Amino acid sequence: MKKLIFCLAVLLSGCSSYRYYAVSNEPLQSGKYQTFAWIPDGDAKSSALYNNDIATDKIVNAASKEMENRGFKLQNSEPDLLLRFTAKVTRNVKEYQEPVYYNPPAVRLPRVAYYNGRRAYYYTYVNPMPIYVGERERTVRVKENSIMLDIIDRKTSKVVWRGWAEGELNNPQKTIEEIPAVIAGIFKKLP
C-alpha cells in the first residue's frame, strides 16, 4: 500500500510541466498589509494567448482567491497592496543531444567441436552489441509561456514580492484550463 501511495505521489508531482520561482523584498506581514486591489488592465499586459477575457478572469480570480485565503481582503479604495500580472508566450529553440549507435551486422563464424572422438563442424552467429559513435544535435522549436505576479506596496510603489511560473506550451486550451493550478503553484512560493 505504501508503494502505491508513493508511486501516485511521484506521478502526480511530475504532472506539472511548470517551474515556479519567487523573489521578495520583505516578507508580507499580515499586520502591516490587510487589503489589496488590482492595477487596471492597461498596466498588466499579456501576449496573444492570454489577451482575452477568459484568461484574464481566470488569472484575476485565482490570484484573488489565493490572497483571500492568506487573510487579505479585496478593497478597491486605498488598498495596502496592488497586484499586477504579466502573461507572455515566447518562441524558443531547444537543443537536444541524442546518442548515436552503430549496429554492426551479425557474423556467421565456422567452429569445430569434438563429439565421441569425432570432429563436428558447425556455425555460430555472433550479434555484436551496438557501438556508441557519438552524439547528434537536434533542435526543436517550442513555445514557452510565463505568468508573473507582482505584489506592490501602494504607498512606496515598490514591488514587495514577485512570483512567476514558466512552462512549455503544447496545447493552448489545456494551458488556459491550467491557469488556477499554476497561480496556486506560484502562491506556494509566497512566505
Side-chain angles (χ1 to χ4, degrees):
M1 184 66 175
K2 289 182 182 180
K3 286 183 181 179
L4 177 65
I5 293 172
F6 175 73
C7 290
L8 284 174
V10 168
L11 286 173
L12 292 176
S13 67
C15 289
S16 177
S17 62
Y18 288 89
R19 297 169 307 280
Y20 299 98
Y21 307 96
V23 292
S24 64
N25 210 3
E26 60 186 66
L28 287 179
Q29 302 165 358
S30 59
K32 184 177 179 183
Y33 304 113
Q34 296 177 354
T35 59
F36 73 96
W38 283 91
I39 293 177
D41 285 343
D43 293 338
K45 287 295 178 190
S46 55
S47 62
L49 175 69
Y50 295 106
N51 195 10
N52 60 53
D53 292 337
I54 295 170
T56 301
D57 287 346
K58 283 188 179 242
I59 292 170
V60 170
N61 291 338
S64 296
K65 181 181 173 187
E66 291 292 331
M67 289 293 284
E68 288 170 357
N69 289 345
R70 285 169 171 70
F72 299 100
K73 293 181 184 174
L74 181 63
Q75 177 182 332
N76 289 329
S77 62
E78 297 187 18
D80 299 327
L81 297 171
L82 297 172
L83 270 67
R84 169 180 64 197
F85 77 90
T86 307
K88 297 280 185 191
V89 176
T90 57
R91 295 183 190 274
N92 203 353
V93 175
K94 281 195 170 184
E95 293 181 1
Y96 295 99
Q97 303 288 337
E98 293 181 343
V100 177
Y101 294 95
Y102 169 67
N103 285 332
V107 178
R108 187 174 147 187
L109 299 172
R111 299 284 183 191
V112 176
Y114 293 96
Y115 180 73
N116 288 337
R118 293 183 166 181
R119 269 193 260 185
Y121 295 97
Y122 68 97
Y123 291 95
T124 60
Y125 291 94
V126 178
N127 193 4
M129 299 293 288
I131 300 169
Y132 174 76
V133 293
E135 292 183 346
R136 174 180 56 188
E137 282 189 18
R138 184 171 67 111
T139 58
V140 178
R141 292 186 182 272
V142 295
K143 289 183 182 177
E144 292 184 345
N145 60 339
S146 62
I147 298 176
M148 185 180 305
L149 289 169
D150 291 335
I151 298 177
I152 303 165
D153 186 339
R154 186 182 61 85
K155 292 179 183 173
T156 62
S157 298
K158 291 187 179 181
V159 175
V160 178
W161 181 82
R162 173 175 281 175
W164 68 96
E166 296 175 351
E168 284 188 22
L169 171 63
N170 297 321
N171 182 350
Q173 180 180 355
K174 184 180 175 188
T175 301
I176 290 177
E177 290 172 0
E178 288 179 343
I179 287 175
V182 171
I183 297 295
I186 292 171
F187 272 95
K188 285 181 183 175
K189 296 285 188 177
L190 182 66

